[in-house]
Amino acid sequence: LKSTFLNVYSVLKSELLHDPAFEWSDDSRKLNRGLSVIDSYRLLKEGQTLNDDEIFQASALGWCIEWLQAYFLVLDDIMDNSHTRRGQPCWFRVPKVGIIAANDGVLLRNHIPRILKKHFRGKPYYVDLLDLFNEVEFQTAAGQMIDLITTLEGEKDLSKYTLSLHRRIVQFKTAYYSFYLPVACALLMAGENLDNHVEVKNVLVEMGTYFQVQDDYLDCYGDPDTIGKIGTDIEDFKCSWLVVKALELSNEQQKKVLYENYGKPEPANVAKVKALYNELNLKGVFVEYESTSYQKLVTSIEAHPSKAVQAVLKSFLAKIYKRQK
């Protein structure tokens, strides 16, 4: 599957580079989200063999999601003033790229409608696809806005950090495009109307929330060699699930430690926050959250009338349950 998916990239890349609307000169990877479209579509077809066209189309939609993700990350790194992404320098940190990276991000975003137009224009669900990508992009940008506003220099206020704020940021910024979008693409390809699958969307957004809580946990407790980055949520004053839980469980004295040390870059401040996390046994709190969330998700999935849809949702859950990276 993965090699087929990668071959489709070569076709799409070549089409974009030879796009008559743009004269390119010679100057000018995890893939989970993308591969999920083919996985989901295959499960929706309940064991029927997919033909070459179906594999190509599902892969093309998968690549559109990867392009969307690349566009978000290029711009996100500029906004966060980050240094590395998956062990490499951020794109805007590369010499001779700099702030040109902003336009590169916009170009990545614009590849999507061109791929959709070329390969899906004749499909009855073409407009639904365009609508879906636009809607999910808007939701992600809204999530990013809430995230950026809550971490503004000079306006840092831990008292704003609640579970409901964390949930809003996560659902908009991550859950829609990482979890709902691949399955929605597969449902459209299978001839389904997305309005009839609101429950599927809810389960996937819930799964995305659980995924982000894991991410917040791994930022502090994960092995940098395994997760591919050194966590900086504490230094960056992020509205992380850990700090929200810590605020909830702290007494006045412990809250004072958080208020005085959270969001400061010095290792001594970070160490005090981590020591408090240990004192509050946030590892144990997370393990409990993980098992409760998992049970709730399984129950919601098994309540779905379609076995094929259940299979899609269960395959997603299996990929992320108890992950280490």
Side-chain angles (χ1 to χ4, degrees):
L1 241 185
K2 196 164 180 180
S3 59
T4 315
F5 185 60
L6 290 167
N7 291 340
V8 172
Y9 174 75
S10 313
V11 178
L12 298 175
K13 177 182 166 185
S14 148
E15 285 173 359
L16 290 166
L17 289 174
H18 297 102
D19 190 329
F22 202 93
E23 287 185 26
W24 299 89
S25 70
D26 290 339
D27 300 329
S28 31
R29 238 143 90 123
K30 277 184 181 172
L31 311 177
N32 286 346
R33 292 166 184 82
L35 283 163
S36 296
V37 181
I38 319 179
D39 277 345
S40 302
Y41 184 64
R42 217 172 40 174
L43 291 165
L44 288 173
K45 298 294 276 187
E46 299 190 81
Q48 290 176 32
T49 310
L50 305 189
N51 64 37
D52 289 349
D53 274 354
E54 288 176 308
I55 292 172
F56 184 89
Q57 283 154 8
S59 298
L61 291 178
W63 280 112
C64 285
I65 299 173
E66 291 293 333
W67 256 287
L68 188 70
Q69 152 96 336
Y71 148 66
F72 289 147
L73 298 186
V74 166
L75 296 185
D76 188 59
D77 285 343
I78 298 172
M79 290 181 247
D80 288 347
N81 204 20
S82 301
H83 289 270
T84 58
R85 165 78 61 184
R86 294 189 187 143
Q88 303 283 338
C90 295
W91 182 237
F92 81 101
R93 297 263 175 208
V94 174
K96 295 191 180 173
V97 176
I99 209 65
I100 294 171
N103 193 57
D104 291 337
V106 173
L107 276 175
L108 285 165
R109 167 63 182 101
N110 280 280
H111 285 163
I112 298 167
R114 302 192 81 79
I115 293 169
L116 295 179
K117 186 175 179 180
K118 184 165 177 69
H119 296 282
F120 296 91
R121 201 175 183 180
K123 302 284 177 198
Y125 53 85
Y126 175 56
V127 172
D128 295 317
L129 268 181
L130 289 174
D131 202 32
L132 174 66
F133 273 89
N134 286 336
E135 188 62 22
V136 169
E137 183 190 6
F138 172 71
Q139 285 161 328
T140 310
Q144 174 72 343
M145 181 186 71
I146 306 167
D147 190 12
L148 292 167
I149 287 172
T150 54
T151 54
L152 271 178
E153 264 316 318
E155 291 185 31
K156 292 180 174 176
D157 177 8
L158 265 187
S159 65
K160 291 188 291 197
Y161 283 6
T162 60
L163 267 184
S164 67
L165 175 73
H166 179 264
R167 197 178 173 78
R168 271 174 63 215
I169 293 173
V170 169
Q171 291 188 351
F172 282 99
K173 191 180 165 181
T174 306
Y176 282 109
Y177 92 88
S178 297
F179 285 80
Y180 174 59
L181 182 56
V183 176
C185 284
L187 285 166
L188 287 175
M189 269 190 73
E192 293 288 330
N193 180 338
L194 294 181
D195 292 340
N196 301 336
H197 290 284
V198 176
E199 200 34 58
V200 172
K201 181 198 271 189
N202 294 341
V203 172
L204 286 160
V205 168
E206 211 42 65
M207 223 181 277
T209 308
Y210 162 64
F211 178 85
Q212 186 59 48
V213 172
Q214 286 177 316
D215 228 45
D216 292 353
Y217 175 81
L218 291 170
D219 185 272
C220 181
Y221 292 110
D223 171 10
D225 291 338
T226 311
I227 59 176
K229 61 181 180 185
I230 294 163
T232 56
D233 283 359
I234 296 172
E235 294 93 318
D236 297 341
F237 198 75
K238 284 290 177 195
C239 182
S240 154
W241 183 82
L242 292 172
V243 77
V244 169
K245 273 292 168 197
L247 286 163
E248 218 174 75
L249 300 166
S250 288
N251 59 33
E252 288 313 308
Q253 191 53 43
Q254 291 166 321
K255 273 202 180 77
K256 196 163 175 281
V257 173
L258 278 175
Y259 274 81
E260 285 169 4
N261 295 285
Y262 198 73
K264 301 210 169 122
E266 289 74 25
N269 299 103
V270 176
K272 283 181 188 164
V273 174
K274 287 192 174 181
L276 179 61
Y277 284 178
N278 292 335
E279 202 179 302
L280 296 167
N281 185 26
L282 287 191
K283 273 189 176 178
V285 175
F286 171 75
V287 169
E288 193 176 318
Y289 165 86
E290 181 158 61
S291 94
T292 314
S293 288
Y294 181 76
Q295 288 316 35
K296 266 168 63 180
L297 284 164
V298 170
T299 308
S300 307
I301 292 168
E302 289 178 346
H304 198 281
S306 155
K307 284 282 181 242
V309 171
Q310 279 193 34
V312 170
L313 297 172
K314 281 186 171 169
S315 94
F316 254 86
L317 188 54
K319 284 178 196 163
I320 61 168
Y321 183 52
K322 295 209 161 175
R323 69 191 175 95
Q324 296 302 308
K325 58 178 183 177

